[in-house]
Amino acid sequence: MLTLVCDDQPGIVHAISGAIVQAEGNITESQQFSSEDTGRFFMRLQVESSTDREHFEQALRPVTERYDMTWALDVVGRPLRTLVLVSKAGHCLNDLLFRQRAGQLPVEIPLVMSNHPDLGELAAFYGVPFESAPVTDASQKAAFERRILEVVEQHDIELVVLARYMQILSPELCDALEGRAINIHHSFLPGFKGANPYRQAHARGVKLIGATAHFVTSDLDEGPIIEQNVVRVDHSQSPAELISIGQDEESRTLTQAVRWFAEHRVLLDRHRTIIFK
Amino acid sequence: MLTLVCDDQPGIVHAISGAIVQAEGNITESQQFSSEDTGRFFMRLQVESSTDREHFEQALRPVTERYDMTWALDVVGRPLRTLVLVSKAGHCLNDLLFRQRAGQLPVEIPLVMSNHPDLGELAAFYGVPFESAPVTDASQKAAFERRILEVVEQHDIELVVLARYMQILSPELCDALEGRAINIHHSFLPGFKGANPYRQAHARGVKLIGATAHFVTSDLDEGPIIEQNVVRVDHSQSPAELISIGQDEESRTLTQAVRWFAEHRVLLDRHRTIIFK
Amino acid sequence: MLTLVCDDQPGIVHAISGAIVQAEGNITESQQFSSEDTGRFFMRLQVESSTDREHFEQALRPVTERYDMTWALDVVGRPLRTLVLVSKAGHCLNDLLFRQRAGQLPVEIPLVMSNHPDLGELAAFYGVPFESAPVTDASQKAAFERRILEVVEQHDIELVVLARYMQILSPELCDALEGRAINIHHSFLPGFKGANPYRQAHARGVKLIGATAHFVTSDLDEGPIIEQNVVRVDHSQSPAELISIGQDEESRTLTQAVRWFAEHRVLLDRHRTIIFK
Amino acid sequence: MLTLVCDDQPGIVHAISGAIVQAEGNITESQQFSSEDTGRFFMRLQVESSTDREHFEQALRPVTERYDMTWALDVVGRPLRTLVLVSKAGHCLNDLLFRQRAGQLPVEIPLVMSNHPDLGELAAFYGVPFESAPVTDASQKAAFERRILEVVEQHDIELVVLARYMQILSPELCDALEGRAINIHHSFLPGFKGANPYRQAHARGVKLIGATAHFVTSDLDEGPIIEQNVVRVDHSQSPAELISIGQDEESRTLTQAVRWFAEHRVLLDRHRTIIFK
């Protein structure tokens, strides 16, 4: 699996496919996109090759250097080391863990962290270590965030998933995790930002409610959007019912975003995402 | 077709069904809703009766007075007298006129008014009178709005449809048409208000775009929502493509809202709509 | 919660609402439908009442007898006693148990039965008893079905859910459970009946795949449909990927059907279902 | 716009991108797919080039010959010469003509042919010639089909669209138009084949109805599927209402299929379609 980004210019595809031929590779899947907004070129290639990684990289290097590419090479299906943050609501965590165990989600989860002990039992059922600590004042929050960074370091974490983690991350932590932390927001952004979006949706009388998975940035609920889903509701449903209905969309939207990220299908084009489905 | 609204209290259904039995009516369809937000009771009944309208109303009166009901009685399928306002984009008008002629939309349209002459030909094809006048300064706007009110009066208009009419109505006109003017906004409200929502949607990188049909109020794009639809888009689509894709949602969303309104399925619960599908 | 079915005729609503007024009840929700196909009348009422059940039934009796009604009275939210049958695939069971525990599904599950031991651990995590026995020949099958009927008897089971139970029930068992057994079929019926529907869907190159929850009848995959969902697929997806994608639709479709049934929203109009949402 | 199909083997992408570099072309869009079912390789490329067509083809030839490619080269956005066949229902024709005129559908329609005169007025409004002849016996049918082939020849027709043309084409005509005739079937295939699918859908009590655009083959309703859509329905809707609801899906499904075909996004992999969106 090869993903690469560079400034758009003629000849890139020929150069890269030449390097792959030279490395005795065969392209089995290929997607590309040229952004008119930013002038950047994005490509995702799946390649079969009998060569080892070192020789493959060697064959690529002249091309990636000539075009000043940002690139990443990975083995297809390798599980991504993922840290999951939760609070009390378990629907997103349950979905991630169930699918991970069913072999439908290429992640491995060395730890679940929470500001509440409630979901420890669920994590234990799936055999995943669980750590919780209260986050009710500034010093506890700072300690919890330091611990997050420590875990990221220790376990070589590649993705942090906020699976209904009901705390706002500090700008410093947002920056430290830039491009590798995904949050699920329980509304159809940019619709209802901030707290209690289902209550807002009820008050406004919307006919569809939704969920948005996006990259975490220090600008709350404004990070690049990865995936969104909606579901139809009507006047008869109370805010509590909207919450219950919306949870399905939250789970499947977050799981989809995590899957795409783990499969290297999500690339960043400034504030927008390129999704190679 | 009988719709009624009153404060919620025990015995309403029994009282009203009693009056209908007395008027030799048979209830063939019935929907009701008690709003927890406002304490109001809403009901829509379809009744077969051999009695004439006068006797039917007479039988109802004691009940409607006792419960202080707001109510309306109409013959099922009677076409609603509808004025359509347009500018240059014809997709919504085309959909309304095509369906009206195909017998799928119970409206009659005595006139289409526009601030541009472009859609006159389309209206003519469907045999609907068309009137246009430029609206480029305040006095032209005032004259055009006076003409709207005159038409509403003359033709006994029951519904005004803003089918991509690209002018903001004055607060006075909004008030005069309150509860009987429907606008189509080309975004999933409350997502992108104001002008150029598709450009905003592209910049924000949303994964679904949509359309919202709502009652016109003087608070722009904040009127009670009647219907919404969305469609999936991706990173590869330009703002121009989003516009083209979104037009389908605009047409079907507006036509649906008009159909429900014409069938007396839309009731107002303060800022929210009750839709009896 | 009151549901009733009888031949359609004038005066039913008035009679039933009169009985409810007499029992000091207040109707908070009401839905009705007159079937043109069968001439039957269907009604579902939610009533608040200070009376006890006995007096309430007494007040209803004259009406239910006069109109020869089939009726059922239940307390809103009472969990339905539900037996779940499974084989090896756990996605539907996981969804049912997770939602049941989260308070989103008004069922209680005294037992899960299976023809394989694999899902015992999942049931145990949710604290639900689990029983399994091999069903590989006719005598084992007969024994397993006798045990099902015994369990239904012992636990006063009101609903049997086939949550990807990969065995065909005998006609006798189908008849014994008529109207209270729900199956999830992994295709959009009547599309691909029988085994391996995802493989059939792949071969046919369909662009949407789906799932169908239906009542079990001895006519395989032909029972009355309760709910259906679809999801978009494309040429690039293998049968194995279709299976994985389809599982989400299976889970949510089955859970939705179970929820509606448990809330007494599903009534039978010969071979079709009336769903009072 | 370049589309090509050949047996899958290593080096194709490099060879083709090399030929494009040589022709001074720049690839702006590229999609490929390797079919595991048939071992065929499919590619669609959008190329900017200052070279003229002749030199471009010359540069490609060595590659297309070496790999024994089936290929097609076209100018992006060139309107496809399209013949539309209709009967009495105008919703699909109206949608095609409206979008074609709005510049949203890259086709030009030199003629609409029908077995009824009814839609002549609609075609005339859009300025499209219209021809009709009764097709009520075998000899009229044979004559009508000869006229179709004559028109295809005369106008150099590239696509024949059956926009609710209610006649079965003869096997000979099906063969003559193979791979370039698209039909809209008014059900979610393989659900309800043959006549009156909405009546069948009502009788079966399905919860979703749909439409399927597919290539015409002599095996009725079994041609390769290009696009499908569904819409939710419920028990309260009569067959007549299903028809009305379904028409929207028919229009948009057919128009989408025509758009993709006209943009060379539809390739055939034996009985399945590859859709490069």
Side-chain angles (χ1 to χ4, degrees):
Chain A
M1 174 68 46
L2 175 66
T3 55
L4 46 88
V5 182
C6 63
D7 285 341
D8 197 14
Q9 56 198 288
I12 303 173
V13 175
H14 185 59
I16 204 79
S17 59
I20 290 167
V21 167
Q22 198 191 312
E24 287 163 50
N26 186 27
I27 300 172
T28 58
E29 218 182 293
S30 160
Q31 287 150 306
Q32 64 177 77
F33 177 65
S34 300
S35 170
E36 285 186 27
D37 297 336
T38 59
R40 299 285 278 169
F41 174 85
F42 301 82
M43 194 164 202
R44 180 184 184 272
L45 292 157
Q46 212 162 302
V47 179
E48 283 172 359
S49 172
S50 46
T51 318
D52 64 14
R53 191 188 178 104
E54 200 185 333
H55 284 91
F56 199 86
E57 291 196 5
Q58 221 164 0
L60 286 176
R61 197 151 308 133
V63 177
T64 59
E65 281 173 4
R66 186 177 355 135
Y67 289 97
D68 193 18
M69 290 174 172
T70 305
W71 61 289
L73 189 64
D74 201 352
V75 173
V76 174
R78 182 185 67 80
L80 210 70
R81 286 178 303 278
T82 302
L83 169 66
V84 182
L85 305 184
V86 297
S87 289
K88 289 179 172 179
H91 55 286
C92 287
L93 180 63
N94 180 64
D95 202 61
L96 291 168
L97 293 177
F98 180 77
R99 274 158 219 285
Q100 188 269 332
R101 188 163 75 174
Q104 292 170 13
L105 197 60
V107 298
E108 62 180 74
I109 302 174
L111 186 64
V112 172
M113 290 177 70
S114 179
N115 58 333
H116 291 284
D118 310 39
L119 297 177
E121 195 196 356
L122 178 63
F125 169 63
Y126 285 101
V128 176
F130 179 86
E131 228 181 79
S132 80
V135 180
T136 52
D137 62 29
S139 87
Q140 285 180 338
K141 181 165 174 172
F144 196 82
E145 294 205 341
R146 274 195 306 276
R147 178 64 188 141
I148 291 173
L149 285 173
E150 202 176 274
V151 168
V152 166
E153 183 81 10
Q154 271 174 8
H155 291 276
D156 219 355
I157 292 296
E158 298 164 286
L159 172 64
V160 177
V161 177
L162 281 65
R164 296 301 311 274
Y165 177 63
M166 303 302 280
Q167 294 280 326
I168 297 171
L169 302 190
S170 68
E172 294 72 33
L173 188 57
C174 290
D175 289 350
L177 300 176
E178 199 192 334
R180 51 181 179 149
I182 296 178
N183 181 47
I184 181 72
H185 183 74
H186 42 322
S187 96
F188 185 77
L189 288 174
F192 299 107
K193 294 173 193 170
N196 260 328
Y198 290 119
R199 186 164 296 280
Q200 294 179 57
H202 177 81
R204 185 70 182 85
V206 292
K207 302 305 180 188
L208 298 167
I209 59 169
T212 303
H214 62 91
F215 281 113
V216 174
T217 60
S218 53
D219 202 354
L220 187 67
D221 298 337
E222 289 287 346
I225 292 170
I226 302 169
E227 175 62 334
Q228 303 189 287
N229 281 295
V230 294
V231 63
R232 193 159 288 276
V233 295
D234 69 27
H235 60 269
S236 71
Q237 285 147 338
S238 65
E241 287 171 304
L242 298 190
I243 288 172
S244 167
I245 293 166
Q247 290 187 347
D248 282 9
E249 302 310 305
E250 296 168 25
S251 303
R252 70 187 187 105
T253 304
L254 180 59
T255 299
Q256 185 63 283
V258 169
R259 182 181 293 121
W260 285 337
F261 187 89
E263 294 173 353
H264 304 287
R265 295 180 183 279
V266 183
L267 298 175
L268 264 172
D269 186 28
R270 209 179 295 152
H271 304 303
R272 309 173 74 235
T273 58
I274 310 302
I275 312 283
F276 286 133
K277 289 183 193 172
Chain B
M1 174 68 46
L2 175 66
T3 55
L4 47 88
V5 183
C6 65
D7 284 341
D8 196 14
Q9 55 197 289
I12 302 173
V13 175
H14 185 59
I16 204 80
S17 59
I20 290 167
V21 167
Q22 198 191 312
E24 286 163 51
N26 186 27
I27 299 171
T28 57
E29 216 182 293
S30 161
Q31 287 150 304
Q32 62 176 79
F33 177 66
S34 300
S35 170
E36 286 185 28
D37 297 336
T38 59
R40 299 286 278 172
F41 174 85
F42 302 82
M43 194 164 202
R44 178 183 185 273
L45 292 156
Q46 213 163 301
V47 179
E48 284 172 0
S49 172
S50 46
T51 319
D52 64 14
R53 189 188 179 105
E54 200 185 334
H55 284 91
F56 198 87
E57 292 195 6
Q58 221 164 358
L60 285 177
R61 197 151 309 132
V63 178
T64 58
E65 281 173 5
R66 184 174 0 132
Y67 290 97
D68 192 20
M69 289 174 173
T70 305
W71 60 287
L73 189 64
D74 201 352
V75 173
V76 173
R78 181 185 67 80
L80 210 72
R81 286 178 302 278
T82 302
L83 169 65
V84 182
L85 305 185
V86 297
S87 290
K88 288 179 171 177
H91 54 287
C92 287
L93 180 63
N94 180 66
D95 202 61
L96 290 168
L97 294 176
F98 179 77
R99 274 160 219 284
Q100 188 270 333
R101 188 163 75 174
Q104 293 170 13
L105 198 60
V107 299
E108 63 180 72
I109 302 173
L111 186 64
V112 172
M113 290 178 70
S114 179
N115 58 334
H116 291 285
D118 310 40
L119 298 176
E121 195 196 355
L122 178 63
F125 168 62
Y126 285 101
V128 176
F130 179 86
E131 228 181 80
S132 79
V135 180
T136 52
D137 62 31
S139 87
Q140 285 179 338
K141 180 166 177 171
F144 196 81
E145 293 205 343
R146 275 196 307 276
R147 179 63 187 141
I148 291 174
L149 284 173
E150 202 177 274
V151 168
V152 166
E153 184 80 10
Q154 271 175 7
H155 292 277
D156 219 355
I157 292 297
E158 298 164 286
L159 172 64
V160 177
V161 177
L162 281 66
R164 297 301 310 276
Y165 177 63
M166 303 301 280
Q167 293 281 326
I168 297 171
L169 302 190
S170 69
E172 295 70 34
L173 188 57
C174 290
D175 289 348
L177 300 176
E178 198 191 337
R180 51 180 177 147
I182 296 177
N183 181 46
I184 181 72
H185 182 73
H186 42 321
S187 96
F188 185 76
L189 288 174
F192 300 106
K193 294 173 192 170
N196 260 329
Y198 291 119
R199 186 165 295 280
Q200 293 179 58
H202 177 80
R204 186 70 183 83
V206 294
K207 302 304 180 187
L208 299 166
I209 59 169
T212 303
H214 62 92
F215 281 115
V216 174
T217 61
S218 53
D219 202 354
L220 186 67
D221 298 337
E222 288 287 345
I225 292 170
I226 301 169
E227 175 62 333
Q228 303 188 287
N229 281 297
V230 293
V231 63
R232 194 159 287 277
V233 294
D234 69 28
H235 60 268
S236 71
Q237 285 148 338
S238 65
E241 287 171 304
L242 298 189
I243 289 171
S244 167
I245 293 166
Q247 290 186 347
D248 281 8
E249 302 310 306
E250 296 168 25
S251 303
R252 71 186 187 105
T253 304
L254 180 60
T255 299
Q256 185 64 283
V258 169
R259 181 183 293 121
W260 285 337
F261 187 90
E263 294 174 353
H264 304 286
R265 296 180 183 278
V266 183
L267 298 175
L268 263 173
D269 185 28
R270 210 180 296 151
H271 304 304
R272 308 174 73 236
T273 58
I274 311 301
I275 312 284
F276 286 134
K277 288 182 192 173
Chain C
M1 173 69 45
L2 176 66
T3 54
L4 46 87
V5 182
C6 64
D7 284 342
D8 197 14
Q9 55 197 288
I12 302 172
V13 175
H14 185 58
I16 204 79
S17 59
I20 288 167
V21 166
Q22 197 189 312
E24 287 163 50
N26 185 28
I27 299 170
T28 58
E29 218 182 292
S30 161
Q31 287 150 303
Q32 63 176 77
F33 176 66
S34 301
S35 170
E36 286 186 27
D37 297 336
T38 60
R40 300 285 277 171
F41 174 85
F42 301 83
M43 194 165 201
R44 180 183 185 272
L45 291 157
Q46 212 162 303
V47 179
E48 283 172 0
S49 172
S50 46
T51 317
D52 65 13
R53 189 185 180 106
E54 200 185 332
H55 284 92
F56 198 88
E57 291 195 5
Q58 222 165 358
L60 286 177
R61 196 150 309 132
V63 178
T64 59
E65 281 172 4
R66 186 177 355 136
Y67 290 96
D68 193 21
M69 288 173 173
T70 305
W71 60 287
L73 189 64
D74 201 352
V75 174
V76 173
R78 181 184 68 80
L80 211 71
R81 286 178 302 278
T82 302
L83 170 64
V84 182
L85 304 184
V86 298
S87 290
K88 288 179 172 177
H91 54 285
C92 287
L93 180 62
N94 180 64
D95 203 61
L96 291 168
L97 294 177
F98 180 77
R99 274 160 219 284
Q100 188 269 332
R101 188 164 74 173
Q104 291 171 14
L105 199 60
V107 299
E108 63 181 74
I109 302 173
L111 187 64
V112 172
M113 290 178 70
S114 178
N115 58 334
H116 291 285
D118 310 40
L119 297 177
E121 195 196 356
L122 178 63
F125 168 62
Y126 285 102
V128 176
F130 179 86
E131 229 181 79
S132 80
V135 181
T136 52
D137 62 30
S139 87
Q140 286 179 338
K141 180 166 176 171
F144 196 82
E145 293 204 343
R146 275 196 306 276
R147 177 65 187 141
I148 290 174
L149 285 172
E150 203 178 272
V151 168
V152 166
E153 185 79 11
Q154 271 174 6
H155 291 278
D156 219 357
I157 292 296
E158 299 164 286
L159 172 64
V160 177
V161 177
L162 282 65
R164 297 301 310 276
Y165 178 64
M166 304 300 281
Q167 293 281 325
I168 296 171
L169 301 190
S170 70
E172 295 71 34
L173 188 57
C174 290
D175 289 350
L177 300 177
E178 197 191 337
R180 50 181 178 146
I182 297 177
N183 181 46
I184 181 71
H185 183 73
H186 42 321
S187 95
F188 184 78
L189 289 174
F192 300 106
K193 293 172 193 170
N196 260 329
Y198 291 119
R199 186 164 296 279
Q200 294 179 57
H202 177 81
R204 186 69 182 83
V206 293
K207 302 305 181 188
L208 297 167
I209 59 169
T212 303
H214 61 91
F215 280 114
V216 174
T217 61
S218 53
D219 203 354
L220 187 67
D221 299 337
E222 288 287 347
I225 292 170
I226 302 170
E227 176 61 336
Q228 303 189 287
N229 281 297
V230 294
V231 63
R232 193 159 288 276
V233 294
D234 70 30
H235 60 269
S236 71
Q237 285 147 339
S238 66
E241 287 171 304
L242 298 189
I243 288 171
S244 166
I245 293 166
Q247 290 187 347
D248 282 8
E249 302 310 306
E250 296 169 24
S251 303
R252 70 187 189 106
T253 303
L254 179 60
T255 298
Q256 185 63 283
V258 170
R259 182 182 294 122
W260 284 338
F261 187 89
E263 295 174 351
H264 304 287
R265 297 180 182 280
V266 183
L267 298 174
L268 264 172
D269 185 28
R270 208 178 297 150
H271 304 304
R272 307 173 74 235
T273 58
I274 312 301
I275 313 282
F276 286 135
K277 288 182 192 173
Chain D
M1 173 70 45
L2 175 66
T3 55
L4 46 89
V5 182
C6 64
D7 284 341
D8 196 13
Q9 56 197 288
I12 303 173
V13 176
H14 186 59
I16 204 78
S17 59
I20 289 167
V21 167
Q22 199 190 312
E24 286 162 51
N26 186 27
I27 300 170
T28 57
E29 217 182 293
S30 161
Q31 287 149 304
Q32 63 177 77
F33 176 66
S34 300
S35 170
E36 286 186 27
D37 297 336
T38 59
R40 299 286 280 171
F41 173 85
F42 301 83
M43 195 164 200
R44 179 183 185 272
L45 292 157
Q46 213 162 302
V47 179
E48 284 173 359
S49 172
S50 47
T51 317
D52 63 14
R53 190 186 179 105
E54 199 185 334
H55 283 91
F56 198 87
E57 293 194 4
Q58 220 165 357
L60 286 176
R61 198 151 307 133
V63 177
T64 58
E65 282 172 4
R66 184 173 1 132
Y67 290 97
D68 193 19
M69 289 173 173
T70 306
W71 60 287
L73 189 64
D74 201 353
V75 173
V76 174
R78 181 184 68 80
L80 211 72
R81 286 179 301 278
T82 302
L83 168 66
V84 182
L85 306 184
V86 298
S87 289
K88 288 179 171 179
H91 54 287
C92 287
L93 180 63
N94 179 65
D95 203 60
L96 290 168
L97 294 176
F98 180 76
R99 274 160 219 284
Q100 188 270 330
R101 188 165 73 174
Q104 292 170 14
L105 199 59
V107 299
E108 63 180 72
I109 301 172
L111 187 64
V112 172
M113 291 178 69
S114 179
N115 58 334
H116 292 285
D118 309 40
L119 297 177
E121 195 196 356
L122 178 62
F125 169 62
Y126 286 102
V128 176
F130 179 87
E131 227 181 83
S132 80
V135 181
T136 51
D137 62 31
S139 87
Q140 285 179 338
K141 181 166 176 169
F144 197 81
E145 293 205 343
R146 275 194 307 277
R147 178 64 186 140
I148 290 174
L149 285 173
E150 202 177 274
V151 168
V152 166
E153 184 80 10
Q154 272 174 6
H155 291 276
D156 217 356
I157 292 296
E158 298 164 285
L159 172 65
V160 177
V161 178
L162 281 66
R164 297 299 311 275
Y165 176 64
M166 304 301 281
Q167 294 281 326
I168 296 171
L169 302 190
S170 69
E172 294 71 34
L173 188 56
C174 290
D175 289 349
L177 300 177
E178 198 192 337
R180 52 181 177 146
I182 296 176
N183 181 46
I184 181 71
H185 182 73
H186 43 323
S187 96
F188 184 79
L189 289 174
F192 300 107
K193 294 172 192 170
N196 260 329
Y198 291 118
R199 186 163 297 279
Q200 294 180 57
H202 177 81
R204 185 69 183 82
V206 293
K207 303 305 179 188
L208 298 167
I209 58 168
T212 303
H214 61 93
F215 281 113
V216 174
T217 60
S218 53
D219 202 353
L220 188 65
D221 299 337
E222 289 286 346
I225 293 171
I226 301 169
E227 175 62 335
Q228 303 188 286
N229 281 297
V230 294
V231 63
R232 193 159 288 277
V233 295
D234 69 29
H235 60 268
S236 72
Q237 285 148 338
S238 66
E241 287 171 304
L242 297 190
I243 289 171
S244 167
I245 292 166
Q247 290 186 349
D248 282 7
E249 302 310 307
E250 296 168 25
S251 304
R252 70 186 187 106
T253 303
L254 180 59
T255 299
Q256 185 63 284
V258 169
R259 181 182 294 121
W260 284 337
F261 187 89
E263 294 174 353
H264 305 286
R265 296 180 182 279
V266 183
L267 298 175
L268 264 172
D269 185 28
R270 208 180 294 152
H271 303 304
R272 308 173 74 236
T273 58
I274 311 301
I275 313 284
F276 286 133
K277 288 182 192 172

